[in-house]
Amino acid sequence: MEKGPRIGGDSPATSSSSSSLKEKAQLESTQPPPQSKQSEHQQHHGHNTLSRPTTARSHKSSRPQKSTTKSTSPEGHHPKNESNGPHHHVPNPDGGLQAWLQVLGSTIILVLTWGLINTFGVYQEYYESTLLPSSSSSQISWIGSVQASFLFLVGVISGPLFDAGYFRHLLWAGIFLVVFGQFMTSLCSVYWQVLLAQGFCIGAGMGFLFLPSTAIVSQYFHKRRALAIGIASAGSPVAGIVFPIIFSRLEPKIGFGWTTRVIAFILLGISVIPLVFMKTRLPVSGKKRALFDPTAVRDAPLVLFTLGGFFAFLALYVPFFYITVFATSHGISTPDFAPYLVTILNAGSIIGRLGPNALADRWGSLNVMLVCTVVSAVLAFGWMGIENQAGSIVFALLYGASSGGVVSLCPSVLFGLTEDMRLLGTRMGMNFLVLGFSIMIGTPIAGAILGDMTQAEWLGMMGYGAAGLVLAVVLFIGARLAAYKKDKSLKA
């Protein structure tokens, strides 16, 4: 009979149960909603769901992560997905106003560097015939080769300085030395003065400018990096077209000094663009940069590519320095038209810097550079058979296009062969050291072979240039095979 009261309505047990149910309902109402089955499944398998913004707790847990990754670059950009891995890579914008302003600034830098080097052919002819007639072709070519070699050699210093965050310092110093050296060249009258001003002073300024201006473009572009560098490098042949025309037109009217000063004033005016707009995008890591990367000498593709670049630049600029002298000494062109062959070389180089770089983003920079080197070698052999002005014009146009591809693709290949972007400046500096030594001795060797400018000596000089390019082709093929063996990719 004890069961009877338990079935009743308001027994003590029932009220106790009712109150416990109310307390349980209140507790459940204060708890967060239950996780979905997918979340329970992830939690069961050890997945961290705190990063998902589905609950109040997940929002709280995400805030400290934002604060820790809120480091901004010197220009105020907020890096995202920054990795501490070997690439230390912040995603490139691959476009936008700021990115294309860097390309514009780099284009101006190429005018101040390779643009002046590509113009040296008209100076070579003028020095031999007028200003320095007692100096040999080989001695005069040392002026241009020192200038061009310093563009590479000083990269050993400017590369690590760029990595350490001194881009703006390099920019100011480089522009000052180039413009100052150009003004001082206008005052020169003897060989040692020209060598000091046009060779060493301008060359040192070029070395401070060239590597950083190329490396900064890689901070803003990835998929279209080769194309962006190609567009920037178009400043070089544009200057190589304009400056020889300015020199040949103004020098007979106002003299060597004021003609050179006019070019210096042009350089000074356009330098405002990079000084105003160019800036780095990535924050500086704060680590000291070494001048030498020991891992580079064990990287077979990089070593073979650097050796190939040595022989390529040993011979590549021989036509740029001597095509004007060749045309006048063989009676192919008049003294008035011969300087325009340098202009035609640079006009072809515009095509060579844009077209191959556009293809390189799809087919690989090393592959396209290899093709350009093969074409340059074939044309160098073809130079031996030129006997009239029409042949000289065709040769200048085609060789300018192929050699322009070789020069402009060199930095893109280095980007592709460097896995750790933190070592890019150091590796570019090491590569430029080798190329700088090559270009320093390349054209003077050609001048020494030329000697008294007999036909046999002309053929020997041309054969020297062609042979250097053939050796470069062989080594570039070796680099291409080594790169494929390393990453099993046909694009490099």
Side-chain angles (χ1 to χ4, degrees), residues 22 127 155 187 260 332 363 382 478 480:
K22 289 180 181 179
Y127 292 157
L187 304 174
T260 304
I332 291 175
W363 302 107
R480 170 65 276 195

Side-chain angles (χ1 to χ4, degrees), residues 416-438:
L417 295 179
T418 301
E419 296 180 357
D420 189 347
M421 287 295 121
R422 293 173 297 178
L423 299 175
L424 179 61
T426 300
R427 286 195 168 196
M428 287 183 72
M430 293 171 62
N431 179 268
F432 283 10
L433 176 66
V434 176
L435 300 186
F437 179 73
S438 169

Side-chain angles (χ1 to χ4, degrees), residues 160-200:
L161 286 175
F162 172 80
D163 288 340
Y166 292 97
F167 171 71
R168 299 289 299 179
H169 303 76
L170 293 168
L171 193 63
W172 279 95
I175 289 175
F176 170 78
L177 288 174
V178 170
V179 175
F180 177 74
Q182 188 71 13
F183 276 114
M184 291 299 101
T185 301
S186 70
L187 304 174
C188 296
S189 58
V190 295
Y191 178 80
W192 70 266
Q193 294 174 344
V194 180
L195 179 63
L196 185 63
Q198 193 171 16
F200 286 97

Side-chain angles (χ1 to χ4, degrees), residues 33 47 50 59 70 79 83 89 118 136 149 159 196 216 227-228 230 250 282 292 352 431 459 467 474 489:
H47 292 289
L50 292 178
H59 284 295
K70 197 180 177 181
S83 170
H89 178 63
N118 290 345
S136 66
S149 66
L196 185 63
I216 198 172
L227 177 61
L250 293 184
L282 302 181
F292 179 75
N431 179 268
L459 291 175
V474 173
S489 174

Side-chain angles (χ1 to χ4, degrees), residues 240-258:
I241 292 171
V242 174
F243 290 159
I245 294 176
I246 291 175
F247 188 90
S248 61
R249 290 298 183 96
L250 293 184
E251 189 277 324
K253 298 178 181 179
I254 62 177
F256 169 77
W258 270 107

